[in-house]
Amino acid sequence: MDAAEFRRCGKEMVDYVADYLENIEKRQVYPDVEPGYLRSLIPEEAPEEAESYEDVVKDIERVIMPGVTHWHSPYFYAYFPTANSFPAMLADMLCGAIGCIGFSWGTASEATLIALLAARSKVVKLIQADHPDRSETDIISKLVAYSSDQAHSSVERAGLIGGVRMKKIPTDKKFSVRGDALKKVIEMDKAAGLIPFFFCATLGTTPSCAFDCITELGPICNAEKIWMHIDAAYAGSAFICPEFRPLLNGIEFADSFNFNPHKWLLVNFDCSAMCSYVISHLISLQHWQIPLGRRFRALKMWFVFRMYGLKGLQAYIRKHVGLAKEFESLVRADQRFEISADVVMGLICFRLKGSNELNETLLKRINSARKIHLVPCQLAGKFVLRFAVCARTTESRHVQEAWCHISHLASELLQELPH
Amino acid sequence: MDAAEFRRCGKEMVDYVADYLENIEKRQVYPDVEPGYLRSLIPEEAPEEAESYEDVVKDIERVIMPGVTHWHSPYFYAYFPTANSFPAMLADMLCGAIGCIGFSWGTASEATLIALLAARSKVVKLIQADHPDRSETDIISKLVAYSSDQAHSSVERAGLIGGVRMKKIPTDKKFSVRGDALKKVIEMDKAAGLIPFFFCATLGTTPSCAFDCITELGPICNAEKIWMHIDAAYAGSAFICPEFRPLLNGIEFADSFNFNPHKWLLVNFDCSAMCSYVISHLISLQHWQIPLGRRFRALKMWFVFRMYGLKGLQAYIRKHVGLAKEFESLVRADQRFEISADVVMGLICFRLKGSNELNETLLKRINSARKIHLVPCQLAGKFVLRFAVCARTTESRHVQEAWCHISHLASELLQELPH
């Protein structure tokens, strides 16, 4: 394929992509296939001779699409959003052509690990300054890191990889870590000869979008020389709107902060931003970063920031929050259901009043119907349905339709129960 | 920007990308700017109001391009190749639109870390099976991992992150680790009470593309229950050509293997493939992987494998190796120069016969002239120039031209010296 052919095929691909995204809601959001379906559709080995672009393109619908979960469908309400926007796609085309090595972005999981490793290295150096005879491995074996019991699994994994103890701090009724709870554990651990060194606070937890109380936690961490890292993977994007800034109060106590523009800021996956508040931290963060090379991801942010403008991005966040409020009202108006956690951003946690089993059955029926896609969570022992406003193309009518569908399936389910 | 506007702008971008790549050799390969040049060219903050695509596009040449090192220029001979091909770019466009979560690929640095962590976990479990009272942190503090003294810095970093001792095994005259050298260190370490558990062999080292002798090393690792990971980041792509397969002899002893299609197999960055030979390893590898989400990178490989075909990919590898041989002959024909390591694939290590200082000056002049771009390495205490055939667009005339240029600068330099 030469440049002339790329001009022709590239323009066809632009049309394919535009068609795909314009008509995405006509596709079934969740695939019917089983893992391994691909094996019978493709040859065992790569072809000897080159095939044409047309050969490959006709297989996209035959081979690839049947296995795709359409994350950008307005019927996708699972996990958290994964961004998708036209400006980011244009930037990615340019990024692929330049193909040079860009700046230092990774995923949020990486950011947590990097912060933990930098904190580990810092505390080892601090202790060795006073006790030059203590070995690094000895110090590491006494370290303890903390996070919320609602924190993402990647936080626990960062502890595993770093070879340090990791403890979960119990949360309050709103699923937030409070100062007292952290203080209690720190004191117990210090009394047992352990060295607390790292706390990963979450702003916008994965299960319920809860916010740890960093105004209480920050001063404790600072006083105890504990590195406070803030994981705002999802909610961080919303802080471009002034009305959400109060949730950032206490940020001045943090040592490092991470959020994912690829979640909720229209910058296509993957793009995660990390910053640190002390120059020497920045240096150690770079040192601990895992991949050596990186795509030029800043290009996507630049296109998106400029072509949406701050106002456009704020409008986008607010639209999603508005749709979430709309869905919340629908749930609240239905006496059979309850809301399981405060709705602050684009996530609604809800359930039928009744047993976990009942709610598990409801979710199973929702997902088997393939019209919309949701995932559950556990909150205080209860099985809860998560409705996350995800797609750029989600409008009020989709949310209304999704609710009608859920409500209808709930009615069917409740009618089957013995009275 | 709606779909209709994306159709228009996307097609413009396809033309921009084709123009860029068709005319890349007219651009200066290495930028003149200083770090920070960007700051005065862009506003302090993101714009309030959305800007048009045209506003952004006109800034590509004004703002972005002056800072770009053109990795795909036929005058780029630094590091190792970073792949760039039209089929991969088409696949990336589709990948961005689908924006779903794909398979398990990372960078080679990540692969080494993952293998080391999996090996660490395996050895801890094995030892605890016999000695249930030994703590994990105690075992880890006795572990020792090995690599060649020519191994990539990411291997040493994997050891640092994993919190284990890492030792470099001295290489022979051809910069390969041999069985005897490894055996000697293992025996010393075992006598000192340490537990050898991991060896990272390199096939195609970064400084000189040397190959560790895995037919000797493999049986030693297997007998000592040491996990042998093979880092073939660059050279791995060449194994699609049967004539390079003998370099893989001994692979049957390996526990895990990694190579980067994004280096030399025409699959745009980033795409790194890792495999393990034991199912239980595969499971632990997935467990230790750092990022939770991933782009659908397999799509790029699929486009590239089909649209080049095995023959096309082999022809590409062989063309680069041929160009390297051509450059090697040019160097060998010039009595002022010497070849510093066997030329096996697309990399030539060479230098002026004379002091390190002389060669440092030569490299400085080559890179300041901005016509071509090279990076150096150290081999056995000598300062050596690395000429890596990198770009897809490199032809014989570029290599000849590069040699003329180097030879001319060398003549100038040598004439300045007192006789």
Side-chain angles (χ1 to χ4, degrees), chain A residues 7 11 15 19 22 47-49 51 59 84 96 120 157 160 269 289-290 295 306 310-311, chain B residues 7 11 15 19 22 47-49 51 59 84 96 120 157 160 269 289-290 295 306 310-311:
Chain A
R7 286 178 203 272
K11 288 165 192 178
D15 279 326
D19 289 343
E22 270 189 318
E48 273 292 313
E49 307 284 344
E51 296 178 73
D59 277 353
N84 178 276
R120 192 187 73 177
R157 218 157 46 140
L160 267 173
F269 192 84
Q289 184 176 275
I290 320 301
R295 288 167 63 95
R306 293 189 63 180
L310 182 59
K311 283 192 185 169
Chain B
R7 286 177 205 271
K11 288 165 192 178
D15 279 326
D19 289 344
E22 269 190 319
E48 274 290 314
E49 307 284 343
E51 295 179 75
D59 277 352
N84 179 275
R120 190 188 74 176
R157 218 157 46 138
L160 266 175
F269 192 84
Q289 182 175 276
I290 319 301
R295 285 167 65 94
R306 292 189 65 181
L310 182 59
K311 282 192 185 168

Side-chain angles (χ1 to χ4, degrees), chain B residues 6-306:
Chain B
F6 174 72
R7 286 177 205 271
R8 181 180 63 78
C9 302
K11 288 165 192 178
E12 276 181 41
M13 184 58 91
V14 166
D15 279 326
Y16 182 86
V17 164
D19 289 344
Y20 170 72
L21 290 168
E22 269 190 319
N23 299 297
I24 194 164
E25 67 181 274
K26 293 179 194 151
R27 292 178 187 260
Q28 180 177 297
V29 58
Y30 195 80
D32 281 321
V33 299
E34 296 293 321
Y37 83 97
L38 206 59
R39 203 169 281 263
S40 64
L41 296 179
I42 55 172
E44 290 277 308
E45 294 185 350
E48 274 290 314
E49 307 284 343
E51 295 179 75
S52 72
Y53 176 68
E54 282 64 31
D55 288 334
V56 178
V57 155
K58 69 169 197 278
D59 277 352
I60 295 173
E61 289 296 336
R62 187 182 70 88
V63 175
I64 303 295
M65 287 301 177
V68 169
T69 299
H70 300 285
W71 284 62
H72 310 297
S73 161
Y75 298 112
F76 183 90
Y77 299 102
Y79 312 103
F80 272 138
T82 292
N84 179 275
S85 74
F86 291 122
M89 282 188 277
L90 294 171
D92 252 352
M93 289 163 67
L94 182 60
C95 170
I98 297 179
C100 71
I101 301 307
F103 306 143
S104 313
W105 318 84
T107 63
S109 311
E110 246 182 286
T112 310
L113 173 60
I114 290 166
L116 181 133
L117 292 172
R120 190 188 74 176
S121 154
K122 189 183 165 194
V123 71
V124 167
K125 276 186 203 133
L126 275 176
I127 293 174
Q128 284 183 330
D130 289 337
H131 308 277
D133 51 321
R134 281 191 76 170
S135 76
E136 175 164 6
T137 48
D138 172 55
I139 297 168
I140 290 177
S141 71
K142 299 284 179 223
L143 296 179
V144 55
Y146 307 111
S147 73
S148 153
D149 62 15
Q150 302 287 305
H152 191 264
S153 61
S154 58
V155 180
E156 200 176 346
R157 218 157 46 138
L160 266 175
I161 291 172
V164 298
R165 255 176 222 85
M166 186 63 136
K167 290 196 179 172
K168 290 182 177 178
I169 309 296
T171 47
D172 69 2
K173 280 185 188 165
K174 287 181 177 289
F175 310 107
S176 311
V177 176
R178 305 296 299 270
D180 284 348
L182 178 64
K183 211 163 187 168
K184 205 170 127 190
V185 179
I186 291 175
E187 275 160 18
M188 271 174 45
D189 283 345
K190 281 167 68 179
L194 296 180
I195 309 165
F197 81 108
F198 182 77
F199 175 64
C200 176
T202 310
L203 295 184
T205 61
T206 306
S208 69
C209 199
F211 291 76
D212 288 343
C213 187
I214 54 173
T215 50
E216 292 177 9
L217 298 162
I220 298 171
C221 288
N222 287 191
E224 299 283 348
K225 297 205 177 89
I226 292 172
W227 181 303
M228 182 163 84
H229 173 68
I230 295 186
D231 174 9
Y234 164 67
S237 297
F239 300 140
I240 63 165
C241 301
E243 66 270 31
F244 292 117
R245 297 265 170 79
L247 292 165
L248 264 180
N249 288 347
I251 186 76
E252 63 275 18
F253 301 112
D255 292 271
S256 51
F257 177 88
N258 177 260
F259 84 105
N260 286 353
H262 75 231
K263 279 205 165 62
W264 207 12
L265 210 57
L266 291 158
V267 183
N268 285 23
F269 192 84
D270 47 346
C271 181
S272 180
M274 181 167 188
C275 64
S276 178
Y277 299 99
V278 185
I279 287 293
S280 67
H281 288 184
L282 250 185
I283 294 160
S284 47
L285 293 180
Q286 280 180 342
H287 176 72
W288 287 110
Q289 182 175 276
I290 319 301
L292 196 72
R294 280 165 298 284
R295 285 167 65 94
F296 187 3
R297 296 186 176 89
L299 209 54
K300 290 191 279 203
M301 296 192 71
W302 192 61
F303 269 61
V304 168
F305 286 5
R306 292 189 65 181

Side-chain angles (χ1 to χ4, degrees), chain A residues 234-276:
Chain A
Y234 163 67
S237 297
F239 299 140
I240 62 166
C241 301
E243 66 270 32
F244 293 117
R245 296 265 170 80
L247 292 165
L248 264 179
N249 288 347
I251 187 75
E252 63 274 19
F253 301 111
D255 293 272
S256 51
F257 177 89
N258 177 260
F259 84 103
N260 286 353
H262 74 233
K263 276 204 169 62
W264 205 12
L265 211 56
L266 291 159
V267 182
N268 284 22
F269 192 84
D270 47 347
C271 181
S272 180
M274 181 166 187
C275 65
S276 178

